[in-house]
Amino acid sequence: MEDESALGEGALGMDWITVLLVPAVVVITAGFFYLYSSVLRLLSKTTVRNKVVVITDALSGLGNECAKTFHKGGARVILCGKSWEKLDSLSEQLSDDCDPALTFPPKLVLIDFSDMESLPDVISEVLECYGCLDVLIINGSMKVKAPVQDMSLELDKAIMDINYFGPITLAKGILPSMISRRGGHIVLVNSIQGKLALPFRSTYAASKHAVQAFFDCLRSEVEEYGISVSTISHSFISSPAPAEESPAPAEESPAPAEESPAPAEESPAPEEESPAPAEESPAPVDESPAPAEEIPAPAEEIPAPAEESPAPAEESPAPAKESPARASSRPGISPEKMAVEIVQTLSSKKKEVVMANSISKVAIYARAFFPNLVFSVMAAGVKSSAAN
């Protein structure tokens, strides 16, 4: 009996310890995360304060969020975009949201990567804003989804100008200033398709592979000058961007080959292939004797034929860009999270970051170690899309 009583008292003591231990662990864990977030916030402020930061495509969802983050952190931001009125509106919004005594008024520079001849003047204007540059964030791109045979050479060249030649021209123009000061940080916001190409995105994926390779080489060449180069490869960005500018390269997740958010970021000069946004369906339907649903491009992007809808033709493609079902099934990465990651990358000087779900990351490694398997899966996805 005494043994049973002792065991009962011991069990009761263990219950009390458990009752007290669980809340203690919860409180300690919560305190740890609070301390960690506080350190990150402090680190982000010290990282960007007084730094001269250039943000291209500042009118996109990600560019807008980066502008807010760096401006609040005390950086001297230079906002770049294609619309002066909207840049000015963004500048006023930033100034109204922050204490003018603690922040610097943003500088505004018009930039259009599709106009390569204007870039030398743009680079000079950027350097004249403060006489130097600490951080260059290259954000924004153009994306088109279409079969290879339906892409004109003019459209291919326009995509390469905006996604490859424009960014590298800007980086090369800024580089001498950074080399002379023996410091600086270049951040390329790239797509996960710079690592894994998907069907119906041939030129887009090629441009992302090309710009990824360029900045990988640049990283090694400028390290001796104290210049850091980082690439952030992300999948789909959840928040839609303003219609006037290219959304931050809101690339799709490489999991299902038939999916494509394909938001119309920038309209290239040669748009003879389709008056509507190029990525909706660059292939002219009248050139193909087969019905539109037999075109390899996924049928879900093409709305019901215009003759069946009494609404104006230009209204029909709009809802097809991002259907609620697709948006809910692919939440993507928020611009806020991307902006925080960029600040942390500047602080840690991490060379490469992949922001994607686990399936996309596995697909990247599978492409390297099991290429035939990946190619077979992609081909099967294309056949399934065509059949549907």
Side-chain angles (χ1 to χ4, degrees), residues 42 123 151 181 183 191 219 226 235 244 247-248 256 264 323 328 337 362:
L42 180 62
I123 293 169
M151 292 280 290
R181 299 178 67 237
S191 166
R219 179 185 299 113
S235 58
E244 88 288 348
S323 64
S328 61
K337 185 176 180 180
V362 168

Side-chain angles (χ1 to χ4, degrees), residues 130-145:
Y130 289 103
C132 63
L133 185 64
D134 297 303
V135 179
L136 172 61
I137 300 175
I138 301 176
N139 164 57
S141 65
M142 174 186 177
K143 176 172 62 177
V144 173
K145 177 183 178 182

Side-chain angles (χ1 to χ4, degrees), residues 54-222:
V54 174
I55 304 172
T56 69
D57 200 6
L59 297 176
S60 67
L62 175 57
N64 189 289
E65 192 61 36
C66 286
K68 294 177 182 177
T69 301
F70 284 92
H71 184 258
K72 289 180 180 178
R76 306 168 190 257
V77 294
I78 302 175
L79 307 179
C80 302
K82 293 172 61 178
S83 170
W84 181 266
E85 292 76 12
K86 288 168 184 175
L87 283 174
D88 188 55
S89 176
L90 175 59
S91 175
E92 292 179 0
Q93 178 186 349
L94 295 177
S95 300
D96 293 341
D97 292 343
C98 298
D99 185 355
L102 302 176
T103 58
F104 299 93
K107 303 281 188 177
L108 310 179
V109 175
L110 288 175
I111 185 171
D112 184 1
F113 283 147
S114 64
D115 183 9
M116 295 295 298
E117 294 182 357
S118 67
L119 290 185
D121 293 334
V122 170
I123 293 169
S124 299
E125 186 176 354
V126 167
L127 292 175
E128 288 173 0
C129 287
Y130 289 103
C132 63
L133 185 64
D134 297 303
V135 179
L136 172 61
I137 300 175
I138 301 176
N139 164 57
S141 65
M142 174 186 177
K143 176 172 62 177
V144 173
K145 177 183 178 182
V148 172
Q149 65 271 21
D150 295 331
M151 292 280 290
S152 69
L153 187 59
E154 289 77 9
L155 190 55
D156 290 337
K157 291 179 178 178
I159 294 172
M160 290 301 296
D161 279 348
I162 294 170
N163 295 359
Y164 175 70
F165 287 109
I168 72 166
T169 301
L170 178 61
K172 293 173 76 171
I174 297 298
L175 200 58
S177 173
M178 289 187 172
I179 291 177
S180 65
R181 299 178 67 237
R182 311 289 297 188
H185 201 142
I186 301 175
V187 179
L188 171 69
V189 181
N190 203 28
S191 166
I192 198 170
Q193 289 197 50
K195 296 179 172 295
L196 181 68
L198 297 182
F200 305 117
R201 298 156 180 86
S202 54
T203 306
Y204 176 75
S207 67
K208 292 301 180 180
H209 271 72
V211 76
Q212 176 80 36
F214 177 89
F215 282 93
D216 284 348
C217 294
L218 179 65
R219 179 185 299 113
S220 302
E221 296 179 19
V222 300

